[in-house]
Amino acid sequence: MHNRKALGLAILALITLTLIWSSNWTVVKWVLPFVGALDFAALRCVLGALLLLILLPLSGRSLKPPPWRPVLWIGLLQTAGMAGLSQLALIASEAGKTAVLVYTMPFWVILLAALFLNERPRLPQYAAIAIAAIGMLFVIQPWRWQGTLLSSLLAVASGASWAAGSVIAKRAFRHQSVDLLSLVAWQMAVGAAALAVLAIITHETPIIWSSYVLLALGYNAILATALAWALWLFILRVLPTGVAGLSTLMVPVMSVMWAWWLLGEKPDKAEGVGIGLILLALVLIGAPERPWATARHLLRLKNWFRSLT
């Protein structure tokens, strides 16, 4: 699997995934006034799971589930945890800010991969984790306590939940022969079932159906859920865990740009500093060993940060 063709497909998957997920934060932010966060998360995952389960026999695969333990934990952590917590976070927080905090996932991946997959970080990665922690404090701004602290913590928890599910998926790929589409379909079915139960328990406000809600639901179920999670697990199977996590880092950057352009969500100075520190940490994590290459990346980050603030 780790050949040139697979790597080329992984790069193509990354580009597609970035475009889908970065724009979707704005799509979901727009739809939440018409449908509850958990209701929408459950609907998108239920429809996505049904689509994938239908595709299994159509593609000649068996409907027999993969080993149940990884399916259960990946579904609860990666699908239910990530999708549910992130959409709850969007209720009272900006789309760009939420995206940045959810995509602290790579930092959690690095820590969990070191603990459970024996993938040891390099020295710049340890420094990056410390810088990212400071950056998260500036984005969350606990000293303000104006009703968005809980949303920020939910977004961070979403990223941590996603990371835990990703590490479990990587272990499954290492130690078991697992069909990718079957794993995606059944873990999503588990996550969708958990979200559906939570949505039913907490449902209070009727859904206001409209053409936009239907379009947003279709976009989320088909592209942002079924296709995107299949692409993500393919990337995770082809690339090392830490590299796969780092590969998603353009998503929050583009999400901030989408939210700024379409929603007018220009970050304040503290948030801008926090986002800049998180992006600095991302550069350090992926930085090559050559110092001049790292300096070039930092110069690009500096120019982007000036335009942001």
Side-chain angles (χ1 to χ4, degrees), residues 41-59:
L43 285 171
R44 65 179 281 192
C45 290
V46 166
L47 292 176
L50 288 175
L51 176 62
L52 289 170
L53 290 173
I54 291 172
L55 284 177
L56 286 178
L58 291 179
S59 61

mmCIF file of all heavy atoms in Angstrom, residues 41-59:
data_model
loop_
_atom_site.group_PDB
_atom_site.id
_atom_site.type_symbol
_atom_site.label_atom_id
_atom_site.label_comp_id
_atom_site.label_asym_id
_atom_site.label_seq_id
_atom_site.Cartn_x
_atom_site.Cartn_y
_atom_site.Cartn_z
ATOM 1 N N ALA A 41 -26.515 16.632 13.423
ATOM 2 C CA ALA A 41 -25.421 15.657 13.460
ATOM 3 C C ALA A 41 -25.947 14.246 13.277
ATOM 4 O O ALA A 41 -25.359 13.431 12.539
ATOM 5 C CB ALA A 41 -24.662 15.777 14.782
ATOM 6 N N ALA A 42 -27.070 13.930 13.939
ATOM 7 C CA ALA A 42 -27.649 12.598 13.810
ATOM 8 C C ALA A 42 -28.148 12.352 12.398
ATOM 9 O O ALA A 42 -27.906 11.282 11.812
ATOM 10 C CB ALA A 42 -28.785 12.426 14.813
ATOM 11 N N LEU A 43 -28.834 13.327 11.823
ATOM 12 C CA LEU A 43 -29.377 13.168 10.465
ATOM 13 C C LEU A 43 -28.270 12.938 9.443
ATOM 14 O O LEU A 43 -28.361 12.047 8.595
ATOM 15 C CB LEU A 43 -30.205 14.392 10.090
ATOM 16 C CG LEU A 43 -31.583 14.515 10.741
ATOM 17 C CD1 LEU A 43 -32.192 15.890 10.458
ATOM 18 C CD2 LEU A 43 -32.509 13.415 10.233
ATOM 19 N N ARG A 44 -27.218 13.741 9.510
ATOM 20 C CA ARG A 44 -26.140 13.609 8.524
ATOM 21 C C ARG A 44 -25.432 12.265 8.650
ATOM 22 O O ARG A 44 -25.089 11.641 7.642
ATOM 23 C CB ARG A 44 -25.137 14.758 8.651
ATOM 24 C CG ARG A 44 -24.359 14.792 9.942
ATOM 25 C CD ARG A 44 -23.361 15.931 10.023
ATOM 26 N NE ARG A 44 -22.151 15.630 9.266
ATOM 27 C CZ ARG A 44 -21.029 16.342 9.360
ATOM 28 N NH1 ARG A 44 -20.987 17.411 10.162
ATOM 29 N NH2 ARG A 44 -19.964 16.011 8.661
ATOM 30 N N CYS A 45 -25.246 11.791 9.888
ATOM 31 C CA CYS A 45 -24.542 10.527 10.082
ATOM 32 C C CYS A 45 -25.424 9.330 9.762
ATOM 33 O O CYS A 45 -24.947 8.329 9.204
ATOM 34 C CB CYS A 45 -24.005 10.432 11.509
ATOM 35 S SG CYS A 45 -22.646 11.577 11.844
ATOM 36 N N VAL A 46 -26.715 9.411 10.090
ATOM 37 C CA VAL A 46 -27.624 8.312 9.745
ATOM 38 C C VAL A 46 -27.713 8.163 8.231
ATOM 39 O O VAL A 46 -27.604 7.046 7.694
ATOM 40 C CB VAL A 46 -29.020 8.563 10.355
ATOM 41 C CG1 VAL A 46 -30.057 7.614 9.735
ATOM 42 C CG2 VAL A 46 -28.982 8.372 11.868
ATOM 43 N N LEU A 47 -27.898 9.272 7.528
ATOM 44 C CA LEU A 47 -27.975 9.202 6.069
ATOM 45 C C LEU A 47 -26.645 8.753 5.460
ATOM 46 O O LEU A 47 -26.619 7.968 4.506
ATOM 47 C CB LEU A 47 -28.388 10.568 5.505
ATOM 48 C CG LEU A 47 -29.818 11.006 5.826
ATOM 49 C CD1 LEU A 47 -30.072 12.420 5.296
ATOM 50 C CD2 LEU A 47 -30.819 10.036 5.224
ATOM 51 N N GLY A 48 -25.541 9.253 6.003
ATOM 52 C CA GLY A 48 -24.233 8.829 5.505
ATOM 53 C C GLY A 48 -23.988 7.349 5.722
ATOM 54 O O GLY A 48 -23.469 6.656 4.837
ATOM 55 N N ALA A 49 -24.367 6.843 6.894
ATOM 56 C CA ALA A 49 -24.195 5.419 7.187
ATOM 57 C C ALA A 49 -25.065 4.567 6.271
ATOM 58 O O ALA A 49 -24.609 3.529 5.749
ATOM 59 C CB ALA A 49 -24.533 5.144 8.655
ATOM 60 N N LEU A 50 -26.323 4.966 6.054
ATOM 61 C CA LEU A 50 -27.208 4.208 5.156
ATOM 62 C C LEU A 50 -26.642 4.161 3.744
ATOM 63 O O LEU A 50 -26.667 3.116 3.088
ATOM 64 C CB LEU A 50 -28.603 4.843 5.142
ATOM 65 C CG LEU A 50 -29.453 4.649 6.403
ATOM 66 C CD1 LEU A 50 -30.749 5.443 6.297
ATOM 67 C CD2 LEU A 50 -29.750 3.167 6.624
ATOM 68 N N LEU A 51 -26.115 5.282 3.287
ATOM 69 C CA LEU A 51 -25.517 5.328 1.955
ATOM 70 C C LEU A 51 -24.354 4.355 1.839
ATOM 71 O O LEU A 51 -24.238 3.596 0.860
ATOM 72 C CB LEU A 51 -25.050 6.755 1.658
ATOM 73 C CG LEU A 51 -24.300 6.968 0.336
ATOM 74 C CD1 LEU A 51 -25.188 6.635 -0.851
ATOM 75 C CD2 LEU A 51 -23.791 8.409 0.236
ATOM 76 N N LEU A 52 -23.483 4.335 2.835
ATOM 77 C CA LEU A 52 -22.320 3.456 2.794
ATOM 78 C C LEU A 52 -22.717 1.991 2.928
ATOM 79 O O LEU A 52 -22.130 1.120 2.270
ATOM 80 C CB LEU A 52 -21.344 3.844 3.905
ATOM 81 C CG LEU A 52 -20.617 5.177 3.689
ATOM 82 C CD1 LEU A 52 -19.870 5.594 4.943
ATOM 83 C CD2 LEU A 52 -19.661 5.083 2.499
ATOM 84 N N LEU A 53 -23.695 1.698 3.770
ATOM 85 C CA LEU A 53 -24.152 0.310 3.913
ATOM 86 C C LEU A 53 -24.792 -0.196 2.626
ATOM 87 O O LEU A 53 -24.672 -1.381 2.293
ATOM 88 C CB LEU A 53 -25.131 0.201 5.081
ATOM 89 C CG LEU A 53 -24.518 0.367 6.481
ATOM 90 C CD1 LEU A 53 -25.601 0.421 7.544
ATOM 91 C CD2 LEU A 53 -23.547 -0.784 6.784
ATOM 92 N N ILE A 54 -25.473 0.682 1.905
ATOM 93 C CA ILE A 54 -26.030 0.294 0.598
ATOM 94 C C ILE A 54 -24.921 0.028 -0.416
ATOM 95 O O ILE A 54 -25.009 -0.869 -1.254
ATOM 96 C CB ILE A 54 -26.989 1.391 0.091
ATOM 97 C CG1 ILE A 54 -28.247 1.444 0.960
ATOM 98 C CG2 ILE A 54 -27.380 1.155 -1.369
ATOM 99 C CD1 ILE A 54 -29.150 2.622 0.660
ATOM 100 N N LEU A 55 -23.838 0.820 -0.309
ATOM 101 C CA LEU A 55 -22.719 0.659 -1.246
ATOM 102 C C LEU A 55 -21.961 -0.650 -1.042
ATOM 103 O O LEU A 55 -21.328 -1.147 -1.988
ATOM 104 C CB LEU A 55 -21.749 1.830 -1.106
ATOM 105 C CG LEU A 55 -22.171 3.155 -1.733
ATOM 106 C CD1 LEU A 55 -21.135 4.228 -1.438
ATOM 107 C CD2 LEU A 55 -22.351 2.991 -3.243
ATOM 108 N N LEU A 56 -21.992 -1.194 0.164
ATOM 109 C CA LEU A 56 -21.240 -2.428 0.423
ATOM 110 C C LEU A 56 -21.655 -3.567 -0.505
ATOM 111 O O LEU A 56 -20.805 -4.120 -1.214
ATOM 112 C CB LEU A 56 -21.386 -2.831 1.896
ATOM 113 C CG LEU A 56 -20.599 -2.007 2.918
ATOM 114 C CD1 LEU A 56 -20.879 -2.504 4.333
ATOM 115 C CD2 LEU A 56 -19.097 -2.097 2.629
ATOM 116 N N PRO A 57 -22.939 -3.989 -0.534
ATOM 117 C CA PRO A 57 -23.300 -5.071 -1.456
ATOM 118 C C PRO A 57 -23.198 -4.666 -2.920
ATOM 119 O O PRO A 57 -22.891 -5.500 -3.781
ATOM 120 C CB PRO A 57 -24.753 -5.399 -1.066
ATOM 121 C CG PRO A 57 -25.263 -4.182 -0.390
ATOM 122 C CD PRO A 57 -24.086 -3.579 0.302
ATOM 123 N N LEU A 58 -23.448 -3.375 -3.217
ATOM 124 C CA LEU A 58 -23.343 -2.919 -4.605
ATOM 125 C C LEU A 58 -21.909 -3.021 -5.128
ATOM 126 O O LEU A 58 -21.685 -3.191 -6.335
ATOM 127 C CB LEU A 58 -23.839 -1.475 -4.727
ATOM 128 C CG LEU A 58 -25.342 -1.252 -4.522
ATOM 129 C CD1 LEU A 58 -25.692 0.233 -4.654
ATOM 130 C CD2 LEU A 58 -26.152 -2.071 -5.522
ATOM 131 N N SER A 59 -20.945 -2.928 -4.233
ATOM 132 C CA SER A 59 -19.531 -3.036 -4.618
ATOM 133 C C SER A 59 -18.993 -4.456 -4.463
ATOM 134 O O SER A 59 -17.787 -4.676 -4.582
ATOM 135 C CB SER A 59 -18.691 -2.072 -3.787
ATOM 136 O OG SER A 59 -18.781 -2.388 -2.404
#
